[in-house]
Amino acid sequence: MKISFTSAALPEAGVVVVGVLDGRALTPSAVALDDRLGGILRRAMEASRFQGKKDQSLAVVAPGNSRLDRVVLLGMGEGKDLNGAAAEALGGRLHGAVSGNGDKEVTVAVDGVDGCPLSAGELAAHMAVGARLRSYRFDKYRTKEKPEDKPTLTALAFGCEESERAAALYGPLDKVVDGVFLTRNLVSEPSNIIYPETLAAEAKALEALGVEVEVLDVKEMRKLGMGALLGVGQGSARESQLAVMQWHGAGSHKGKGKDKDKKGDKGGKDGSAAAGPIAFVGKGVTFDTGGISIKPSAGMEEMKYDMAGAGTVIGLMKALAGRRAKVNVVGVVGLVENMPSGTAQRPGDIVTSMSGQTIEVINTDAEGRLVLADALWYTQDRFKPRAMIDLATLTGAIVIALGSHHAGVFSNDDALFGRLAGAAAAVGEPVWRMPLGEEYDKAIKSDAADMKNVGNRAAGSITAAQFLQRFVKDTAWAHIDIAGMAWTKETRDVIPKGATGYGVRLLDRLIAEHYEEK
């Protein structure tokens, strides 16, 4: 869908959208249009339940003496509530209101709103972002879709006095949406298309944007001692991979070489003065049968999105490179397929991780933490990041705790969590902090090894995070369990049904606010 910005707020023909605040308060463009149309907009409101609330819209057929086809009244709610995230949600609802009516082009009149913290240009830019986010469709395999079921909208023009400012603000935000769309595409693809080798190739494709990418194969990972990660994938015909992406937007920092004895710059606890990059680590289980501890068949098809953490990291790297972010970032994704076979890992096996710590594998369906264990250790050992964040669809327990409304965050650093929480609120991708503590750590004590990969049923997401923490040294670290957030079964304001791309905008905002050179 093409997005454009124009100084002409009200067109002479076609379909136009105007805003209405709560209490049926018309925006200036709506007032001007209502006067032009002989008061039809006010009469239409009076004859309906439309009040201008944020979840309301009302389509009005233009009178016969006008060249306009329709006017859509878009409820904006209270002006004071229209921050960036709310404006993007408004843009998403706008797209939902106009995309299914057969129109190809629609003009949206955007005015400055009393009490709104955003200027007209800022409001238009964020509404455009929300509309584009909502416009996403994954339909490449639909060969018999009826024409009437396909959206017809191809262009949205946002008209406002600050059109040049709106366009300038929208430019980098649009690159972030590109990253979200890449993540949604990767998560939506079936597992016969996306598997470790092809997902690594998707990361490799970012070289076209200036991202430095290398891919470690099984032989190289075995040399590094990644027994935890390799154990997960040993039952699959698809070989495991580790993709390492580096974006050098603020200097020449590099983790040198693939060997664990070679070091990058010194980092440490979170702080803007530290030399190390910001690191993101993603779980990339391209399909999770559960292995020998096989899952029930019902719903197993959804396990294609068990690589969503890796998908988010790859999408984030595209977003940062696309908008030329002035920051040094490393993205590391461990890519495996967890399959049962004669070579598969068994319950009771003991593996040695890259850290040297041994792990008794009690349940082969608790595989993501094994992948992350080696990926986290590798990342901090090689790059010495000043902050490290991992993302994973790690536990069903976090879905039981938080549903699909918040991602669970576990962190060893209060400042890092505070920054994450602020960024999450700013973009409308909520997080909720979960506890860590020695009392939970006891649950993963093993009689046969340094630890076991699962505790008991109690506090399952917490004991998983405690497991991961054993592979983090003194680096400021946060683990984001996105199991309830990577996929949605219902359409939301800026998210169509399906893969959400959760985390790309959150982490981009985190970097822009706290780590990027100004």
Side-chain angles (χ1 to χ4, degrees):
M1 182 178 66
K2 181 181 178 182
I3 299 287
S4 62
F5 300 90
T6 174
S7 58
L10 294 174
E12 293 297 321
V15 178
V16 61
V17 179
V18 292
V20 181
L21 297 166
D22 196 5
R24 294 179 175 171
L26 299 177
T27 54
S29 292
V31 170
L33 185 59
D34 192 42
D35 291 343
R36 191 170 106 190
L37 298 177
I40 191 173
L41 302 184
R42 288 188 175 88
R43 293 200 304 273
M45 287 192 295
E46 291 170 359
S48 73
R49 294 182 177 181
F50 179 82
Q51 295 290 329
K53 296 183 182 299
K54 66 178 183 179
D55 58 347
Q56 293 182 318
S57 64
L58 178 65
V60 181
V61 177
N65 60 351
S66 169
R67 293 173 55 205
L68 290 172
D69 297 319
R70 273 189 316 281
V71 178
V72 177
L73 303 181
L74 183 66
M76 302 177 71
E78 298 282 351
K80 62 181 177 59
D81 297 330
L82 285 172
N83 56 21
E88 288 169 7
L90 179 64
R93 293 193 294 272
L94 156 68
H95 185 273
V98 300
S99 61
N101 298 322
D103 305 301
K104 292 185 177 181
E105 299 180 1
V106 172
T107 300
V108 186
V110 182
D111 303 288
V113 176
D114 289 343
C116 176
L118 304 178
S119 68
E122 291 169 332
L123 187 58
H126 283 285
M127 287 179 66
V129 168
R132 186 167 176 235
L133 284 167
R134 177 70 174 267
S135 72
Y136 175 83
R137 293 184 94 223
F138 187 78
D139 57 5
K140 63 185 289 188
Y141 299 111
R142 299 179 190 174
T143 63
K144 297 182 178 181
E145 190 173 22
K146 296 178 181 179
E148 60 266 28
D149 293 333
K150 296 181 179 180
T152 58
L153 187 66
T154 59
L156 273 178
F158 289 83
C160 68
E161 293 181 354
E162 298 179 356
S163 57
E164 292 185 2
R165 173 165 169 71
L169 291 169
Y170 178 74
L173 295 174
D174 189 43
K175 298 300 183 183
V176 178
V177 178
D178 288 343
V180 174
F181 280 17
L182 173 59
T183 297
R184 289 178 179 176
N185 285 340
L186 296 176
V187 177
S188 298
E189 287 282 5
S191 297
N192 60 321
I193 302 298
I194 289 295
Y195 45 88
E197 184 179 6
T198 55
L199 189 49
E202 292 285 349
K204 195 75 173 171
L206 298 182
E207 289 179 333
L209 294 175
V211 179
E212 182 180 312
V213 184
E214 58 193 285
V215 179
L216 280 64
D217 60 20
V218 168
K219 182 178 179 180
E220 291 168 303
M221 287 188 283
R222 187 173 291 121
K223 182 180 177 181
L224 289 167
M226 293 186 175
L229 185 153
L230 291 174
V232 176
Q234 72 186 39
S236 174
R238 310 285 193 185
E239 286 201 351
S240 301
Q241 312 262 290
L242 188 84
V244 182
M245 299 160 281
Q246 297 184 63
W247 170 248
H248 307 293
S252 59
H253 168 86
K254 295 185 181 182
K256 301 176 182 178
K258 298 179 182 179
D259 193 284
K260 68 178 180 179
D261 294 328
K262 296 181 180 180
K263 309 296 183 182
D265 293 341
K266 186 176 181 181
K269 278 287 185 179
D270 188 26
S272 59
I278 310 301
F280 299 95
V281 180
K283 169 190 170 184
V285 180
T286 58
F287 193 79
D288 181 21
T289 65
I292 297 300
S293 305
I294 196 163
K295 295 176 180 291
S297 60
M300 194 191 289
E301 72 280 358
E302 295 179 355
M303 288 300 99
K304 69 179 185 179
Y305 68 73
D306 209 19
M307 41 62 66
T312 295
V313 173
I314 296 170
L316 174 66
M317 298 302 289
K318 178 170 184 174
L320 296 174
R323 69 175 183 83
R324 318 309 291 176
K326 296 179 180 180
V327 64
N328 293 336
V329 173
V330 172
V332 176
V333 290
L335 310 177
V336 304
E337 188 177 60
N338 187 21
M339 298 288 284
S341 75
T343 62
Q345 185 167 250
R346 297 155 292 259
D349 283 2
I350 295 177
V351 296
T352 302
S353 68
M354 183 180 173
S355 71
Q357 299 176 89
T358 57
I359 306 163
E360 183 183 11
V361 180
I362 301 299
N363 188 327
T364 64
D365 193 23
E367 83 300 328
R369 65 202 69 183
L370 299 173
V371 174
L372 289 174
D374 280 339
L376 287 166
W377 193 269
Y378 173 87
T379 301
Q380 66 187 338
D381 191 50
R382 175 176 172 184
F383 295 104
K384 302 298 186 290
R386 68 186 189 218
M388 181 168 63
I389 298 170
D390 75 75
L391 300 100
T393 49
L394 203 65
T395 65
I398 203 68
V399 183
I400 300 301
L402 301 177
S404 58
H405 304 291
H406 290 79
V409 177
F410 304 79
S411 183
N412 64 0
D413 187 277
D414 292 342
L416 178 58
F417 172 75
R419 293 173 178 180
L420 273 170
V427 301
E429 294 191 339
V431 299
W432 191 267
R433 191 171 190 177
M434 301 289 286
L436 292 166
E438 291 184 8
E439 60 274 23
Y440 297 107
D441 206 48
K442 296 175 183 177
I444 56 173
K445 182 179 178 180
S446 168
D447 294 331
D450 294 328
M451 70 195 83
K452 56 185 179 180
N453 72 326
V454 292
N456 49 43
R457 288 179 60 84
S461 58
I462 303 174
T463 54
Q466 290 290 157
F467 179 93
L468 295 180
Q469 191 174 34
R470 294 192 180 198
F471 300 90
V472 177
K473 301 177 184 178
D474 61 350
T475 304
W477 160 75
H479 157 58
I480 309 179
D481 194 333
I482 62 172
M485 306 300 287
W487 192 271
T488 178
K489 295 183 178 181
E490 60 182 10
T491 295
R492 302 177 183 177
D493 289 338
V494 297
I495 306 171
K497 179 181 177 181
T500 65
Y502 179 93
V504 174
R505 294 193 299 140
L506 187 166
L507 298 176
D508 175 82
R509 183 63 174 256
L510 171 75
I511 289 169
E513 288 191 347
H514 299 290
Y515 299 104
E516 193 167 354
E517 292 181 357
K518 304 303 182 184

